[in-house]
Amino acid sequence: MARRSMLRLVPLVAVLATLVLPVGTAGAQTTYEVEVGRFLEGAPAESQRFLPWRIDVHQGDTLHFSSQSFHTATFLPVGEGPVAWFEDLATLGTSQPYALVQPDPDDGPTSYKFGLGAFFPSDQTCGAPGLPACSFAGSSVVNSGVPLDAPLDFSVQVNAGAGSSFYVVCIVHGPDMRLRVDVVASGTPASDPGDLADAVDAAVEQDTDSALALHARFSGARSSHVRPDGTRVWDAWAGVDNGHVALLAMYPQRLRIGVGDRVQWHFDSLTYEDHTVTFPIDRARAIAAGVGVPACDPDGDAGPGPDAPPDLAEPPFCSDPTQLELELHDRFVPPAGNGVFLGRDLESSGVLGANSPLGDGNYVLRFPRASTDGPFKYLCLIHPFMRGKVVVG
Protein backbone atom coordinates (compact mmCIF):
# COMPACT_ATOMS: atom_id res chain seq x y z
CA MET A 1 0.00 0.00 0.00
CA ALA A 2 1.46 3.30 -1.03
CA ARG A 3 -0.54 6.49 -0.71
CA ARG A 4 -2.76 7.84 2.01
CA SER A 5 -5.35 8.74 -0.62
CA MET A 6 -6.01 5.07 -1.26
CA LEU A 7 -7.86 4.77 2.04
CA ARG A 8 -11.01 6.74 2.68
CA LEU A 9 -10.54 6.75 6.44
CA VAL A 10 -11.65 9.14 9.13
CA PRO A 11 -9.09 10.38 11.66
CA LEU A 12 -8.79 7.67 14.30
CA VAL A 13 -5.43 8.44 15.86
CA ALA A 14 -6.84 8.93 19.37
CA VAL A 15 -8.98 5.81 19.47
CA LEU A 16 -6.65 3.59 21.47
CA ALA A 17 -5.28 6.18 23.87
CA THR A 18 -6.78 4.32 26.82
CA LEU A 19 -5.20 1.03 25.79
CA VAL A 20 -1.47 1.84 25.87
CA LEU A 21 1.07 2.88 28.44
CA PRO A 22 3.06 6.13 28.23
CA VAL A 23 6.71 6.07 27.27
CA GLY A 24 9.15 8.43 28.95
CA THR A 25 11.74 10.57 27.18
CA ALA A 26 14.92 12.40 28.01
CA GLY A 27 16.76 15.35 26.52
CA ALA A 28 17.97 14.79 22.95
CA GLN A 29 21.52 15.36 21.71
CA THR A 30 21.43 15.12 17.90
CA THR A 31 18.32 14.75 15.75
CA TYR A 32 18.66 12.72 12.57
CA GLU A 33 16.13 13.22 9.77
CA VAL A 34 14.83 10.02 8.16
CA GLU A 35 12.49 10.03 5.17
CA VAL A 36 10.39 6.89 4.78
CA GLY A 37 10.00 6.30 1.05
CA ARG A 38 10.01 9.00 -1.62
CA PHE A 39 7.96 9.47 -4.77
CA LEU A 40 10.27 9.77 -7.76
CA GLU A 41 10.13 12.29 -10.59
CA GLY A 42 9.39 11.27 -14.17
CA ALA A 43 7.68 7.94 -13.50
CA PRO A 44 4.78 6.61 -11.38
CA ALA A 45 7.24 5.20 -8.89
CA GLU A 46 8.39 5.31 -5.28
CA SER A 47 11.74 4.60 -3.70
CA GLN A 48 10.94 2.00 -1.06
CA ARG A 49 13.81 2.87 1.26
CA PHE A 50 14.39 4.44 4.59
CA LEU A 51 16.49 7.47 3.63
CA PRO A 52 19.11 7.00 5.02
CA TRP A 53 18.98 3.23 5.52
CA ARG A 54 21.78 2.96 8.11
CA ILE A 55 22.75 5.33 10.93
CA ASP A 56 25.24 5.27 13.81
CA VAL A 57 23.86 7.18 16.79
CA HIS A 58 24.75 7.92 20.39
CA GLN A 59 22.45 7.05 23.24
CA GLY A 60 20.07 9.98 23.67
CA ASP A 61 20.00 10.96 19.98
CA THR A 62 16.62 11.35 18.27
CA LEU A 63 15.35 9.94 14.99
CA HIS A 64 12.68 12.05 13.28
CA PHE A 65 10.68 10.22 10.58
CA SER A 66 8.69 11.90 7.83
CA SER A 67 6.86 10.61 4.78
CA GLN A 68 4.36 11.74 2.17
CA SER A 69 3.32 8.16 1.56
CA PHE A 70 1.68 5.24 3.35
CA HIS A 71 4.33 3.89 5.72
CA THR A 72 5.11 3.18 9.36
CA ALA A 73 8.31 3.60 11.36
CA THR A 74 8.30 0.55 13.60
CA PHE A 75 11.22 -0.10 15.99
CA LEU A 76 12.02 -3.77 16.54
CA PRO A 77 13.57 -4.88 19.83
CA VAL A 78 17.35 -5.19 19.91
CA GLY A 79 18.37 -8.55 18.45
CA GLU A 80 15.20 -9.05 16.37
CA GLY A 81 15.82 -9.66 12.66
CA PRO A 82 13.21 -8.16 10.30
CA VAL A 83 12.46 -11.35 8.38
CA ALA A 84 11.92 -13.50 11.47
CA TRP A 85 9.95 -10.72 13.18
CA PHE A 86 7.52 -10.45 10.27
CA GLU A 87 7.16 -14.22 10.07
CA ASP A 88 6.39 -14.52 13.78
CA LEU A 89 4.44 -11.33 14.50
CA ALA A 90 3.37 -9.46 11.35
CA THR A 91 2.41 -11.91 8.60
CA LEU A 92 -0.41 -10.47 6.48
CA GLY A 93 -3.65 -12.39 6.65
CA THR A 94 -2.97 -13.90 10.08
CA SER A 95 -4.11 -12.92 13.58
CA GLN A 96 -0.55 -12.08 14.64
CA PRO A 97 -0.43 -8.89 16.74
CA TYR A 98 1.30 -6.67 14.17
CA ALA A 99 -0.30 -8.07 10.99
CA LEU A 100 -1.67 -5.10 9.04
CA VAL A 101 -4.54 -7.21 7.66
CA GLN A 102 -6.14 -9.88 9.85
CA PRO A 103 -9.02 -12.35 9.42
CA ASP A 104 -12.43 -11.31 10.70
CA PRO A 105 -13.91 -14.81 11.12
CA ASP A 106 -17.21 -13.88 12.77
CA ASP A 107 -18.12 -11.92 9.62
CA GLY A 108 -17.37 -14.87 7.32
CA PRO A 109 -14.43 -16.85 5.91
CA THR A 110 -13.49 -14.20 3.33
CA SER A 111 -13.76 -11.21 5.68
CA TYR A 112 -10.74 -9.22 6.84
CA LYS A 113 -9.97 -6.21 9.00
CA PHE A 114 -7.04 -3.96 9.78
CA GLY A 115 -4.88 -5.10 12.68
CA LEU A 116 -5.00 -2.35 15.29
CA GLY A 117 -1.55 -3.19 16.66
CA ALA A 118 -0.07 -2.31 13.27
CA PHE A 119 -2.46 0.46 12.37
CA PHE A 120 -2.30 2.57 15.53
CA PRO A 121 0.69 4.05 17.37
CA SER A 122 2.03 1.97 20.23
CA ASP A 123 1.71 5.07 22.44
CA GLN A 124 -0.65 7.97 21.84
CA THR A 125 1.15 10.25 24.29
CA CYS A 126 4.43 10.67 22.42
CA GLY A 127 6.09 10.87 19.03
CA ALA A 128 3.57 13.06 17.20
CA PRO A 129 3.97 16.82 16.59
CA GLY A 130 3.49 18.79 19.79
CA LEU A 131 4.30 15.77 21.97
CA PRO A 132 7.64 14.63 23.42
CA ALA A 133 9.60 12.06 21.46
CA CYS A 134 8.87 8.46 22.31
CA SER A 135 11.67 6.51 23.99
CA PHE A 136 13.14 3.33 22.57
CA ALA A 137 15.09 1.41 25.20
CA GLY A 138 15.51 -1.67 23.02
CA SER A 139 13.25 -4.17 24.76
CA SER A 140 9.85 -3.62 23.11
CA VAL A 141 8.26 -2.47 19.85
CA VAL A 142 7.72 1.25 19.29
CA ASN A 143 5.35 1.86 16.38
CA SER A 144 4.35 5.10 14.67
CA GLY A 145 1.16 3.57 13.31
CA VAL A 146 -0.15 4.27 9.82
CA PRO A 147 -0.57 8.01 9.06
CA LEU A 148 -4.22 8.84 8.41
CA ASP A 149 -5.12 12.49 8.00
CA ALA A 150 -1.61 13.98 7.80
CA PRO A 151 1.89 12.98 6.59
CA LEU A 152 4.01 10.78 8.83
CA ASP A 153 5.73 12.97 11.43
CA PHE A 154 7.16 10.82 14.22
CA SER A 155 10.07 11.24 16.66
CA VAL A 156 11.81 8.65 18.82
CA GLN A 157 14.72 9.10 21.19
CA VAL A 158 17.20 6.21 21.17
CA ASN A 159 17.87 5.08 24.74
CA ALA A 160 19.15 1.59 23.93
CA GLY A 161 22.58 0.86 25.34
CA ALA A 162 25.85 1.55 23.55
CA GLY A 163 26.95 -1.42 21.47
CA SER A 164 23.42 -2.47 20.59
CA SER A 165 21.91 -2.60 17.10
CA PHE A 166 18.31 -2.69 15.98
CA TYR A 167 16.06 -2.29 12.94
CA VAL A 168 13.24 0.07 12.07
CA VAL A 169 10.79 -1.35 9.50
CA CYS A 170 7.67 -0.36 7.62
CA ILE A 171 4.90 -2.76 8.61
CA VAL A 172 3.02 -1.95 5.39
CA HIS A 173 5.82 -2.92 3.00
CA GLY A 174 7.57 -5.83 4.65
CA PRO A 175 11.02 -6.77 5.95
CA ASP A 176 12.99 -5.51 2.93
CA MET A 177 12.08 -1.90 3.73
CA ARG A 178 14.21 -1.26 6.79
CA LEU A 179 16.67 0.99 8.58
CA ARG A 180 19.56 -0.34 10.66
CA VAL A 181 20.63 1.69 13.67
CA ASP A 182 23.86 1.06 15.59
CA VAL A 183 24.30 2.70 18.98
CA VAL A 184 27.98 3.59 19.31
CA ALA A 185 29.93 4.44 22.45
CA SER A 186 30.14 8.08 23.52
CA GLY A 187 33.78 8.31 22.45
CA THR A 188 33.05 6.94 18.97
CA PRO A 189 31.90 9.31 16.22
CA ALA A 190 28.26 8.92 15.20
CA SER A 191 27.02 9.40 11.63
CA ASP A 192 27.58 12.81 10.12
CA PRO A 193 24.25 14.29 8.91
CA GLY A 194 25.94 15.86 5.89
CA ASP A 195 27.42 12.55 4.80
CA LEU A 196 24.04 10.89 5.25
CA ALA A 197 22.37 13.56 3.11
CA ASP A 198 24.91 12.98 0.32
CA ALA A 199 24.27 9.23 0.45
CA VAL A 200 20.51 9.82 0.28
CA ASP A 201 20.87 12.09 -2.76
CA ALA A 202 22.96 9.45 -4.54
CA ALA A 203 20.45 6.70 -3.72
CA VAL A 204 17.48 8.75 -4.92
CA GLU A 205 19.30 9.54 -8.17
CA GLN A 206 20.03 5.84 -8.65
CA ASP A 207 16.41 4.88 -7.91
CA THR A 208 15.10 7.58 -10.26
CA ASP A 209 17.26 6.30 -13.11
CA SER A 210 16.10 2.75 -12.39
CA ALA A 211 12.44 3.82 -12.28
CA LEU A 212 12.65 5.72 -15.57
CA ALA A 213 14.28 2.78 -17.35
CA LEU A 214 11.82 0.29 -15.86
CA HIS A 215 8.83 2.47 -16.73
CA ALA A 216 9.99 2.86 -20.34
CA ARG A 217 10.61 -0.85 -20.67
CA PHE A 218 7.24 -2.00 -19.39
CA SER A 219 5.23 0.81 -20.99
CA GLY A 220 6.33 -0.49 -24.37
CA ALA A 221 6.05 -4.19 -23.55
CA ARG A 222 3.87 -6.17 -25.97
CA SER A 223 4.28 -9.91 -25.62
CA SER A 224 2.05 -12.95 -25.96
CA HIS A 225 2.06 -16.66 -26.61
CA VAL A 226 -0.35 -19.12 -28.18
CA ARG A 227 -1.84 -21.96 -26.13
CA PRO A 228 -2.14 -25.52 -27.53
CA ASP A 229 -5.83 -24.84 -28.19
CA GLY A 230 -4.90 -21.94 -30.46
CA THR A 231 -5.96 -19.09 -28.18
CA ARG A 232 -3.57 -16.23 -27.53
CA VAL A 233 -2.45 -15.13 -24.05
CA TRP A 234 -1.15 -11.56 -23.61
CA ASP A 235 1.23 -10.50 -20.85
CA ALA A 236 0.47 -7.63 -18.48
CA TRP A 237 1.83 -6.48 -15.14
CA ALA A 238 0.04 -5.12 -12.06
CA GLY A 239 2.87 -2.94 -10.85
CA VAL A 240 6.56 -3.82 -11.07
CA ASP A 241 9.15 -3.79 -8.28
CA ASN A 242 12.89 -3.82 -8.90
CA GLY A 243 15.65 -3.27 -6.37
CA HIS A 244 14.43 -0.47 -4.13
CA VAL A 245 11.86 0.83 -6.64
CA ALA A 246 8.13 0.14 -6.92
CA LEU A 247 6.29 1.18 -10.11
CA LEU A 248 2.70 2.05 -9.23
CA ALA A 249 0.99 1.56 -12.59
CA MET A 250 -0.61 -1.06 -14.80
CA TYR A 251 1.51 -2.21 -17.74
CA PRO A 252 0.64 -1.80 -20.50
CA GLN A 253 -1.85 0.89 -19.51
CA ARG A 254 -3.90 0.12 -22.64
CA LEU A 255 -3.85 -3.36 -24.15
CA ARG A 256 -5.53 -4.29 -27.44
CA ILE A 257 -6.44 -7.98 -27.89
CA GLY A 258 -8.70 -10.18 -29.99
CA VAL A 259 -12.07 -11.64 -29.07
CA GLY A 260 -11.49 -14.84 -27.11
CA ASP A 261 -7.93 -13.93 -26.10
CA ARG A 262 -6.69 -14.11 -22.54
CA VAL A 263 -4.60 -11.67 -20.52
CA GLN A 264 -2.11 -12.93 -17.94
CA TRP A 265 -1.17 -10.39 -15.27
CA HIS A 266 2.19 -11.02 -13.58
CA PHE A 267 2.70 -10.38 -9.86
CA ASP A 268 5.95 -12.25 -9.33
CA SER A 269 8.27 -9.21 -9.44
CA LEU A 270 6.62 -7.58 -6.42
CA THR A 271 8.76 -7.15 -3.31
CA TYR A 272 7.15 -4.24 -1.46
CA GLU A 273 3.71 -3.63 -2.90
CA ASP A 274 0.73 -5.94 -3.25
CA HIS A 275 -1.90 -5.25 -5.91
CA THR A 276 -5.16 -6.42 -7.43
CA VAL A 277 -6.62 -6.48 -10.93
CA THR A 278 -10.34 -5.86 -10.52
CA PHE A 279 -13.02 -5.46 -13.24
CA PRO A 280 -15.20 -3.50 -13.96
CA ILE A 281 -13.90 -0.18 -12.72
CA ASP A 282 -17.16 1.12 -11.19
CA ARG A 283 -17.67 -2.01 -9.09
CA ALA A 284 -13.99 -1.92 -8.15
CA ARG A 285 -14.35 1.69 -6.94
CA ALA A 286 -17.26 0.68 -4.71
CA ILE A 287 -15.21 -2.11 -3.12
CA ALA A 288 -12.20 0.18 -2.60
CA ALA A 289 -14.46 2.69 -0.85
CA GLY A 290 -15.36 0.07 1.77
CA VAL A 291 -11.92 0.15 3.39
CA GLY A 292 -11.39 0.98 7.06
CA VAL A 293 -15.09 1.06 7.92
CA PRO A 294 -15.47 1.19 11.73
CA ALA A 295 -17.52 -1.47 13.49
CA CYS A 296 -17.97 -2.74 17.04
CA ASP A 297 -17.48 -6.39 18.00
CA PRO A 298 -18.80 -6.92 21.56
CA ASP A 299 -18.24 -10.69 21.68
CA GLY A 300 -14.88 -10.81 19.88
CA ASP A 301 -13.90 -12.88 16.86
CA ALA A 302 -14.61 -16.12 18.71
CA GLY A 303 -18.16 -15.08 19.57
CA PRO A 304 -21.16 -16.17 17.51
CA GLY A 305 -22.47 -12.69 16.75
CA PRO A 306 -21.38 -10.67 13.70
CA ASP A 307 -19.87 -7.22 14.03
CA ALA A 308 -22.26 -4.34 14.62
CA PRO A 309 -22.32 -0.78 13.22
CA PRO A 310 -20.57 1.78 15.43
CA ASP A 311 -22.64 3.03 18.33
CA LEU A 312 -20.88 6.43 18.35
CA ALA A 313 -20.78 8.83 15.41
CA GLU A 314 -17.15 9.85 15.95
CA PRO A 315 -13.95 8.30 17.39
CA PRO A 316 -13.67 6.11 19.34
CA PHE A 317 -16.88 4.88 17.56
CA CYS A 318 -17.51 2.18 20.17
CA SER A 319 -18.56 2.87 23.77
CA ASP A 320 -15.88 0.34 24.70
CA PRO A 321 -12.82 1.17 22.52
CA THR A 322 -11.49 -2.39 22.87
CA GLN A 323 -14.42 -3.51 20.68
CA LEU A 324 -13.36 -1.36 17.70
CA GLU A 325 -12.65 -2.98 14.35
CA LEU A 326 -11.66 -1.34 11.06
CA GLU A 327 -13.13 -3.59 8.43
CA LEU A 328 -12.32 -4.28 4.80
CA HIS A 329 -14.97 -4.94 2.18
CA ASP A 330 -15.54 -8.70 1.98
CA ARG A 331 -14.56 -8.58 -1.71
CA PHE A 332 -11.31 -6.72 -1.07
CA VAL A 333 -8.80 -9.50 -0.30
CA PRO A 334 -10.09 -12.73 -1.90
CA PRO A 335 -10.36 -13.45 -5.63
CA ALA A 336 -13.75 -13.16 -7.30
CA GLY A 337 -15.34 -14.43 -10.50
CA ASN A 338 -14.81 -17.39 -12.81
CA GLY A 339 -11.94 -16.14 -14.97
CA VAL A 340 -14.17 -14.99 -17.85
CA PHE A 341 -15.08 -11.30 -18.18
CA LEU A 342 -18.37 -10.56 -19.92
CA GLY A 343 -18.41 -6.82 -19.38
CA ARG A 344 -20.29 -6.26 -16.09
CA ASP A 345 -19.52 -9.25 -13.90
CA LEU A 346 -17.07 -8.83 -11.02
CA GLU A 347 -13.72 -10.43 -11.83
CA SER A 348 -10.82 -9.88 -9.45
CA SER A 349 -7.40 -11.41 -8.91
CA GLY A 350 -7.63 -10.79 -5.17
CA VAL A 351 -4.64 -9.30 -3.37
CA LEU A 352 -1.43 -10.77 -4.81
CA GLY A 353 2.24 -10.02 -4.19
CA ALA A 354 5.26 -11.00 -2.15
CA ASN A 355 3.59 -10.08 1.16
CA SER A 356 0.10 -11.34 0.37
CA PRO A 357 -1.40 -14.40 2.07
CA LEU A 358 -2.60 -15.41 -1.42
CA GLY A 359 0.93 -15.45 -2.84
CA ASP A 360 2.28 -13.85 -6.02
CA GLY A 361 0.99 -16.16 -8.74
CA ASN A 362 -0.24 -14.99 -12.13
CA TYR A 363 -3.85 -14.04 -12.82
CA VAL A 364 -5.46 -15.01 -16.13
CA LEU A 365 -8.72 -13.59 -17.48
CA ARG A 366 -10.46 -14.49 -20.75
CA PHE A 367 -12.35 -11.91 -22.83
CA PRO A 368 -14.98 -13.62 -25.05
CA ARG A 369 -16.83 -10.40 -25.95
CA ALA A 370 -15.78 -7.34 -27.93
CA SER A 371 -15.57 -4.04 -26.03
CA THR A 372 -18.06 -2.33 -28.38
CA ASP A 373 -19.08 0.34 -25.86
CA GLY A 374 -15.53 1.40 -25.00
CA PRO A 375 -12.51 -0.23 -23.38
CA PHE A 376 -12.95 -2.55 -20.43
CA LYS A 377 -11.48 -0.60 -17.51
CA TYR A 378 -10.02 -1.98 -14.29
CA LEU A 379 -8.07 -0.84 -11.25
CA CYS A 380 -6.10 -1.97 -8.21
CA LEU A 381 -8.23 -2.01 -5.07
CA ILE A 382 -5.24 -1.13 -2.88
CA HIS A 383 -4.12 1.74 -5.14
CA PRO A 384 -7.23 2.96 -7.02
CA PHE A 385 -5.11 5.43 -8.99
CA MET A 386 -3.53 2.40 -10.72
CA ARG A 387 -5.83 1.84 -13.70
CA GLY A 388 -5.75 0.01 -17.00
CA LYS A 389 -7.82 -0.65 -20.10
CA VAL A 390 -8.34 -3.70 -22.28
CA VAL A 391 -9.68 -3.13 -25.80
CA VAL A 392 -11.21 -6.30 -27.22
CA GLY A 393 -12.05 -6.51 -30.91
Side-chain angles (χ1 to χ4, degrees):
M1 302 183 180
R3 296 181 179 173
R4 299 191 316 278
S5 58
M6 76 179 183
L7 297 180
R8 295 162 174 82
L9 300 176
V10 293
L12 299 174
V13 293
V15 173
L16 297 187
T18 60
L19 305 182
V20 293
L21 297 175
V23 177
T25 62
Q29 297 174 343
T30 300
T31 297
Y32 290 92
E33 297 295 331
V34 181
E35 188 176 1
V36 189
R38 181 185 294 187
F39 292 114
L40 302 172
E41 295 183 3
E46 184 178 5
S47 173
Q48 298 280 2
R49 302 184 194 241
F50 281 81
L51 299 165
W53 52 93
R54 183 162 185 170
I55 304 178
D56 293 342
V57 304
H58 291 131
Q59 189 178 43
D61 287 346
T62 295
L63 301 176
H64 174 245
F65 298 88
S66 61
S67 181
Q68 296 296 320
S69 188
F70 195 76
H71 299 291
T72 73
T74 306
F75 285 63
L76 307 188
V78 170
E80 289 278 4
V83 173
W85 186 85
F86 270 89
E87 289 178 349
D88 295 340
L89 296 172
T91 302
L92 278 177
T94 72
S95 296
Q96 294 173 357
Y98 292 101
L100 182 66
V101 174
Q102 300 178 341
D104 194 8
D106 55 349
D107 275 3
T110 65
S111 295
Y112 291 84
K113 60 186 178 181
F114 282 118
L116 300 186
F119 208 81
F120 287 101
S122 53
D123 190 324
Q124 301 281 352
T125 68
C126 64
L131 297 174
C134 294
S135 173
F136 177 72
S139 60
S140 59
V141 172
V142 174
N143 182 27
S144 67
V146 176
L148 300 176
D149 60 339
L152 179 66
D153 187 343
F154 184 62
S155 296
V156 176
Q157 186 180 70
V158 177
N159 290 314
S164 60
S165 300
F166 59 90
Y167 288 93
V168 185
V169 299
C170 172
I171 287 180
V172 179
H173 293 100
D176 289 322
M177 189 172 184
R178 62 199 187 202
L179 160 69
R180 174 170 169 158
V181 181
D182 295 310
V183 185
V184 299
S186 58
T188 302
S191 293
D192 177 80
D195 292 341
L196 294 177
D198 290 342
V200 166
D201 289 344
V204 170
E205 181 178 0
Q206 176 186 350
D207 289 351
T208 300
D209 290 344
S210 176
L212 291 172
L214 205 63
H215 179 59
R217 172 188 166 193
F218 281 90
S219 293
R222 295 290 188 276
S223 62
S224 65
H225 67 274
V226 178
R227 290 161 46 105
D229 62 5
T231 58
R232 185 167 294 276
V233 181
W234 295 86
D235 293 305
W237 290 263
V240 180
D241 293 358
N242 183 31
H244 295 285
V245 170
L247 293 182
L248 300 170
M250 299 294 184
Y251 295 98
Q253 194 275 329
R254 182 185 180 96
L255 179 62
R256 182 177 292 276
I257 67 173
V259 174
D261 288 355
R262 291 171 168 85
V263 179
Q264 176 178 244
W265 279 271
H266 297 264
F267 292 82
D268 55 1
S269 79
L270 302 178
T271 302
Y272 305 99
E273 298 285 357
D274 297 332
H275 300 294
T276 81
V277 167
T278 306
F279 288 81
I281 196 167
D282 56 344
R283 297 187 68 178
R285 285 196 193 102
I287 295 171
V291 173
V293 176
C296 301
D297 189 6
D299 60 4
D301 287 340
D307 303 334
D311 47 38
L312 299 175
E314 298 178 352
F317 294 112
C318 304
S319 300
D320 179 354
T322 64
Q323 298 176 3
L324 176 68
E325 292 187 350
L326 301 178
E327 300 187 334
L328 299 171
H329 193 289
D330 60 5
R331 295 285 195 175
F332 190 91
V333 174
N338 63 0
V340 179
F341 185 61
L342 300 176
R344 292 299 308 158
D345 51 312
L346 178 64
E347 297 290 335
S348 181
S349 64
V351 175
L352 296 175
N355 302 308
S356 170
L358 304 182
D360 62 356
N362 296 340
Y363 173 62
V364 179
L365 192 60
R366 184 165 66 89
F367 293 83
R369 293 179 52 187
S371 53
T372 54
D373 296 327
F376 294 135
K377 300 178 181 179
Y378 65 97
L379 57 70
C380 170
L381 296 176
I382 302 173
H383 312 92
F385 54 86
M386 288 178 57
R387 301 177 183 182
K389 302 175 183 179
V390 179
V391 180
V392 185

